[in-house]
Amino acid sequence: MTASQSEFIRGTARGSAPVPLSVLDLAAVGEGTTAREALQASVRLARLAEARGMHRYWVAEHHSMPGISSSSPAVILAHLAARTSTLRLGSGGVMLPNHAPLVVAEQFGTLEALAPGRIDLGLGRAPGTDGATAAALRRAGGAESDDFPAEVAELIRFLRDDFPEGHPYRRIHAVPGPVQGEVGQPQVWLLGSSGFSARLAGRLGLPFAFAHHFSARNTLPALELYRSSFRPSETLAEPYVVLGVFAFAGDDADEARRQALTGALATVRLRSGRPGLVPTPEEADRHVFTEQERAVLGTWLDNALYGTADEVRAGLDELRKRTGADELMLAMNAHGPDFRVRSYELIADAYGLPDDAATDRAATDRAATDRMSTDRAATD
């Protein structure tokens, strides 16, 4: 393992945060808003994350879901790479059953060439959608989840360009890639919500990201399995866990709960086969939940953190202490794009994260004042 690899994975805790903080973006589309507004908010949020010292910014892959606009992570990441300079960017994740490994290797090799040393390739085993949509994504005999270990191995070989002699892909090269000379590679991660990917990540010595935000009951067993299965590798000498968690911070607790309820209702509808745009807070307030819906709602709200920034911070600190997570990745599925940005800003303030943007603005203001003083002196 090189020092640079370890740094890319581990990051640095800022302010009073116990571990590095990162962002998982769903680019939610609410009623009365558009995908364009959602993606514009993603740019604002990525810039905020960079300015406040958050470590990485991942984009999730979902398909055929009206309330989410992140169906093409590689495209969004290229857009964000052009508008940031230091923030690590990645997929949370690319759902490998939907794609040929060579295509993924070339997409993320291209991103690595565009933003050297800043790209993460998080790989998921689920299709991220329903069966019919999964079939439409890979018409010619799409991969099954049981093929995941083999597909991960194939993808890594394409990234490294090291298929052995006699392999049918020996003369096939992912480009951009090593065949073109000395080149960096995206950092591969495995994602999961159960024990399967946890065990595989451990055996491969890869960093592991767990979806606590929708599989909280599996969190501790999966992390234990990952840590107990871990074998040191060129990538990591010891296990590294990122924990995804829903976090909604508002200027007051009521605002946070109302926005959290919009994401909860969107999930209730999705799981009942009625996906749609994320409802407004007013619609979520008016909705009368059936007994079956209340069961989903209760689980969803139990897994989420929402309230004032101090309340969310306390919840994050407790979760980190309970799980031993090495990094917390904050996710959100809420109606308002402005709320998305404001919530992360409040959490950054609660932890006292540095505000590079504010420092830059202050320096700009001071420079402008100095120029005005100089100009006035010159005309006196």
Side-chain angles (χ1 to χ4, degrees), residues 10-21 53 55 240 326 353-354:
R10 295 192 174 278
T12 302
R14 308 284 185 181
S16 62
V19 293
L21 301 180
H55 184 46
Y240 189 87
D326 300 291
L353 300 191

Side-chain angles (χ1 to χ4, degrees), residues 251-323:
D251 287 298
D252 59 68
D254 182 63
E255 177 194 20
R257 187 185 187 284
R258 293 179 77 231
Q259 287 286 348
L261 194 58
T262 68
L265 179 54
T267 300
V268 166
R269 290 173 171 171
L270 174 66
R271 293 186 181 177
S272 63
R274 297 176 290 117
L277 300 179
V278 180
T280 65
E282 294 74 21
E283 183 180 357
D285 282 339
R286 292 192 304 266
H287 185 80
V288 179
F289 290 86
T290 67
E291 184 176 349
Q292 184 177 11
E293 289 176 339
R294 283 190 176 279
V296 177
L297 174 69
T299 300
W300 194 98
L301 291 176
D302 286 347
N303 292 347
L305 300 173
Y306 53 91
T308 65
D310 286 341
E311 290 171 333
V312 170
R313 181 189 63 190
L316 291 171
D317 289 348
E318 188 280 330
L319 180 63
R320 189 269 164 183
K321 184 177 180 180
R322 178 160 51 90
T323 63

Side-chain angles (χ1 to χ4, degrees), residues 89-115:
L89 300 167
S91 57
V94 163
M95 301 294 104
L96 196 51
N98 298 337
H99 310 281
L102 175 58
V103 172
V104 177
E106 294 196 326
Q107 287 177 344
F108 279 76
T110 300
L111 287 169
E112 177 67 27
L114 292 171

Side-chain angles (χ1 to χ4, degrees), residues 6-267:
S6 178
E7 178 185 357
F8 291 160
I9 294 171
R10 295 192 174 278
T12 302
R14 308 284 185 181
S16 62
V19 293
L21 301 180
S22 295
V23 174
L24 174 63
D25 188 13
L26 304 179
V29 184
E31 290 281 357
T33 68
T34 65
R36 176 175 175 79
E37 290 173 292
L39 294 171
Q40 287 174 330
S42 294
V43 173
R44 292 164 55 199
L45 184 51
R47 287 173 167 168
L48 171 69
E50 182 171 74
R52 300 305 298 268
M54 295 185 178
H55 184 46
R56 68 183 93 244
Y57 191 104
W58 283 2
V59 178
E61 177 188 346
H62 292 288
H63 299 277
S64 195
M65 296 183 186
I68 294 176
S69 53
S70 58
S71 59
S72 302
V75 177
I76 298 174
L77 293 172
H79 187 68
L80 297 179
R83 287 156 179 79
T84 56
S85 58
T86 59
L87 186 66
R88 287 199 66 80
L89 300 167
S91 57
V94 163
M95 301 294 104
L96 196 51
N98 298 337
H99 310 281
L102 175 58
V103 172
V104 177
E106 294 196 326
Q107 287 177 344
F108 279 76
T110 300
L111 287 169
E112 177 67 27
L114 292 171
R118 295 173 56 200
I119 302 301
D120 293 327
L121 172 52
L123 300 172
R125 172 173 168 252
T129 187
D130 59 90
T133 306
L137 285 164
R138 288 186 73 173
R139 294 177 183 272
E144 300 293 335
S145 59
D146 289 346
D147 297 333
F148 186 64
E151 293 224 320
V152 169
E154 182 179 306
L155 173 54
I156 291 174
R157 284 202 176 276
F158 273 125
L159 290 172
R160 296 175 178 173
D161 198 29
D162 67 352
F163 284 103
E165 288 293 342
H167 193 282
Y169 296 160
R170 181 68 179 88
R171 299 185 182 278
I172 298 176
H173 308 286
V175 293
V179 70
Q180 296 165 324
E182 188 68 27
V183 64
Q185 296 172 20
Q187 176 57 58
V188 175
W189 290 68
L190 294 192
L191 281 58
S193 57
S194 66
F196 186 98
S197 291
R199 188 191 302 274
L200 180 61
R203 288 177 174 174
L204 296 177
L206 292 174
F208 180 56
F210 186 81
H212 174 82
H213 52 297
F214 64 80
S215 189
R217 65 192 176 110
N218 291 327
T219 299
L220 293 179
L223 298 191
E224 172 59 28
L225 185 57
Y226 169 62
R227 290 167 177 144
S228 64
S229 302
F230 187 84
R231 299 173 183 172
S233 67
E234 292 182 4
T235 300
L236 277 176
E238 57 189 21
Y240 189 87
V241 171
V242 164
L243 203 64
V245 54
F246 275 139
F248 302 76
D251 287 298
D252 59 68
D254 182 63
E255 177 194 20
R257 187 185 187 284
R258 293 179 77 231
Q259 287 286 348
L261 194 58
T262 68
L265 179 54
T267 300

